[in-house]
Amino acid sequence: MTNPAEDSSPSSTRTDLPSRAGSAQIGVIGLAVMGSNIARNFANHGHTVAVFNRTFAKTEHFMDAFGDSGSFVPSETIEDFVASLERPRRALIMVQAGKATDAVIDQLVDAMDEGDIIIDGGNALYTDTIRREAAVRAKGLHFVGAGISGGEEGALNGPSIMPGGPAESYESLGPLLESISAKVDGTPCCTHIGPNGAGHFVKMVHNGIEYADMQVIGEAYHLLRYSAGMSPAEIAEVFREWNQGDLNSYLVEITAEVLAQVDAETGKPLVDLIVDAAGQKGTGRWTVKAALDLGIPTTGIGEAVFARALSSSLGLRSAAQGKLPSGDVSPAISEADRETFIEDVRRALYASKMVAYAQGFDEIQAGSKEYDWNLDPKDMATIWRGGCIIRAKFLNRIVDAYQNSPELESLLLDPYFLGELDGLIGSWRRVVVAATQQGLPAPVFASSLSYYDSLRAERLPAALVQGQRDYFGAHTYGRIDKEGAFHTLWSGDRSEVEA
């Protein structure tokens, strides 16, 4: 590794280097919207911020736009950027996940010294973060995979931050990150999550919960629109009312705003002009893949991912239009029954959201056990209360649940949530039945209810599945009345033998 402070190579920005060397508390690499906003956030909280972008023109544009709003140190080269940081140097990477991140890490490792800290603030796959942390640690540096949630607004005004990596690095980095994070009741929405890939794993699951939350809100809208016959403007008012109660959350709040928006050109509701093909960047898929590897049934999240994929299968959907029979479908909800139906949908939405969060926390705990991270689910609920996309009023209840019972088997078994579910289950069932009878898709509503009923069922059809597996593959089965594994001689005399 070189000592960049001794580098005397020419640069258009080196003339003032002696006066600025070691002056920045943190540096940001990557000045697209997220990187620019988080750099400004640091500066708004009194920190001197080094800024660098692969193309210096973008750095110059940033300085032209925001240079007077805080203390920034621009650099044209990585070497100058590193030299401008105080020790231990802290460099936050805000570039596209994947090869671009690896390239920047390699440049920083070559330019930085032992004990310096590299932070990846992108949506990296947690297994990549585990790999990168080990490689950077071998060079004597620290690597922190930090999940950052809140979008462009959160990056500027206060996100939820989920940093992993060595606990030692958090001693230096933590106060900086906490200063720019969202605050709820004075508590920063930022804490050290755990070793190596823990921060990005938790951010991944956060995004998976976000997928399910958004999809089930979409299903609620769809039912009110096409079962109850309501207009987008009317449904917007319903969501505004819901946001005053148990469903109070950022996503419910912005749903009302989207539904109320009218297209200036046509005068039609904007939602009716948006192509109904939902995009995704991968974190939802990663959540489901990881859940499958860990053996955790994140059914609501999985259905939300599949719903986005199906919505984007425009050729398949077009081919099916007018060809697939619907069978007998029930009539839409009558005007007289509309208010009752609206309340049923609200309760079903609340119940399905509970399942999404419960499944997400189950996956976090399974990941913690698999990778020996020793994660505290209470910490996740605490830092998700502000700044992040899934911030919601009932996260305070989740904090209480894990505070009261750290070894809680499922969030749904907490006394508060048990009591809530008791008042929701009837509505939940009616909504799923209504959707089915009217031929309206409600995959997260339905799968979440099926998951709930599977948990409460005394017996599941898995007994038959085990019998089938033993029949065609001699996979054996257990018995409820004795210990051991057994196999039936299906092609012989059908006697049972101990395996």
Side-chain angles (χ1 to χ4, degrees):
M1 286 177 282
T2 62
N3 184 347
E6 298 174 357
D7 184 1
S8 59
S9 58
S11 167
S12 61
T13 59
R14 292 301 297 268
T15 56
D16 62 342
L17 182 56
S19 64
R20 65 176 189 149
S23 65
Q25 285 80 56
I26 192 155
V28 176
I29 299 177
L31 297 176
V33 175
M34 284 291 290
S36 294
N37 281 3
I38 208 159
R40 294 167 61 197
N41 192 348
F42 279 118
N44 290 342
H45 285 83
H47 306 299
T48 298
V49 187
V51 290
F52 173 82
N53 197 80
R54 181 176 58 86
T55 55
F56 188 56
K58 183 162 283 189
T59 305
E60 292 178 310
H61 177 75
F62 173 88
M63 292 301 297
D64 289 342
F66 308 113
D68 293 336
S69 64
S71 179
F72 298 106
V73 182
S75 294
E76 190 171 359
T77 69
I78 280 284
E79 290 75 19
D80 284 354
F81 170 81
V82 169
S84 69
L85 298 170
E86 69 177 24
R87 297 186 183 226
R89 302 182 180 101
R90 296 169 287 255
L92 172 61
I93 302 171
M94 298 295 293
V95 303
Q96 187 174 6
K99 293 181 180 179
T101 299
D102 282 320
V104 174
I105 291 170
D106 290 343
Q107 289 180 296
L108 287 172
V109 167
D110 288 341
M112 297 176 92
D113 293 310
E114 185 173 346
D116 289 345
I117 305 169
I118 300 172
I119 311 108
D120 177 12
N123 275 333
L125 181 60
Y126 74 97
T127 50
D128 286 342
T129 303
I130 292 174
R131 168 181 59 81
R132 290 165 177 157
E133 193 277 332
V136 170
R137 176 166 27 93
K139 298 292 183 69
L141 285 77
H142 294 214
F143 186 79
V144 172
I148 300 175
S149 179
E152 298 172 9
E153 180 183 351
L156 180 61
N157 298 317
S160 175
I161 310 177
M162 297 150 257
E168 179 186 351
S169 65
Y170 195 76
E171 295 177 9
S172 166
L173 181 63
L176 283 165
L177 297 181
E178 290 178 12
S179 72
I180 68 162
S181 72
K183 311 292 188 302
V184 175
D185 299 329
T187 300
C189 293
C190 173
T191 191
H192 181 242
I193 301 298
N196 51 66
H200 276 145
F201 182 89
V202 166
K203 175 56 164 54
M204 174 192 75
V205 176
H206 163 284
N207 284 23
I209 295 171
E210 179 184 308
Y211 272 56
D213 205 346
M214 293 173 71
Q215 175 63 26
V216 80
I217 287 172
E219 291 173 19
Y221 152 73
H222 201 69
L223 288 168
L224 295 180
R225 183 78 186 273
Y226 298 104
S227 182
M230 301 172 66
S231 69
E234 289 174 321
I235 302 171
E237 289 305 312
V238 169
F239 274 92
R240 287 195 178 104
E241 181 180 341
W242 287 355
N243 199 47
Q244 303 306 309
D246 294 327
L247 289 175
N248 176 267
S249 66
Y250 174 71
L251 285 172
V252 169
E253 176 187 345
I254 68 170
T255 296
E257 296 301 314
V258 173
L259 291 175
Q261 184 69 18
V262 174
D263 178 58
E265 183 177 344
T266 65
K268 296 178 180 180
L270 179 63
V271 71
D272 287 349
L273 300 174
I274 297 174
V275 176
D276 60 336
Q280 51 183 310
K281 293 187 175 180
T283 47
R285 290 197 305 271
W286 295 347
T287 304
V288 177
K289 288 178 180 179
L292 290 170
D293 290 338
L294 294 167
I296 301 300
T298 55
T299 57
I301 297 171
E303 287 294 344
V305 173
F306 291 138
R308 290 198 188 189
L310 180 57
S311 76
S312 298
S313 301
L314 297 179
L316 174 61
R317 292 174 58 197
S318 178
Q321 293 296 301
K323 297 183 179 68
L324 296 178
S326 65
D328 294 331
V329 295
S330 300
I333 301 298
S334 68
E335 183 76 26
D337 294 332
R338 178 182 286 183
E339 290 303 316
T340 299
F341 184 69
I342 291 172
E343 178 59 14
D344 277 348
V345 172
R346 184 194 71 81
R347 293 181 181 187
L349 174 56
Y350 188 26
S352 297
K353 283 166 67 77
M354 286 185 197
V355 169
Y357 281 77
Q359 291 178 349
F361 277 94
D362 288 348
E363 182 169 354
I364 287 173
Q365 290 176 298
S368 178
K369 184 177 180 180
E370 175 71 16
Y371 294 102
D372 197 25
W373 285 332
N374 195 31
L375 305 184
D376 186 343
K378 175 174 57 64
D379 289 344
M380 313 307 119
T382 298
I383 65 174
W384 289 349
R385 293 181 304 162
C388 72
I389 301 301
I390 65 170
R391 60 185 183 266
K393 176 181 177 181
F394 87 144
L395 277 161
N396 287 306
R397 297 293 188 176
I398 298 178
V399 172
D400 293 342
Y402 286 112
Q403 178 74 49
N404 296 332
S405 182
E407 304 302 321
L408 190 64
E409 285 288 336
S410 168
L411 187 62
L412 302 180
L413 298 176
D414 171 73
Y416 172 80
F417 289 107
L418 279 174
E420 291 292 283
L421 284 165
D422 188 47
L424 305 174
I425 187 66
S427 292
W428 199 4
R429 294 195 190 285
R430 286 192 292 273
V431 166
V432 172
V433 168
T436 302
Q437 290 179 332
Q438 294 173 38
L440 296 172
V444 176
F445 274 138
S447 67
S448 298
L449 178 58
S450 183
Y451 172 84
Y452 173 86
D453 281 334
S454 294
L455 289 183
R456 52 174 293 279
E458 186 175 343
R459 293 280 287 173
L460 293 171
L464 176 58
V465 172
Q466 282 300 90
Q468 294 168 330
R469 294 179 71 242
D470 187 62
Y471 189 105
F472 65 70
H475 293 295
T476 75
Y477 51 83
R479 293 178 59 107
I480 64 172
D481 56 352
K482 61 179 77 173
E483 296 292 326
F486 300 88
H487 168 59
T488 291
L489 301 174
W490 299 102
S491 59
D493 63 3
R494 301 210 172 191
S495 62
E496 183 179 75
V497 298
E498 193 165 357

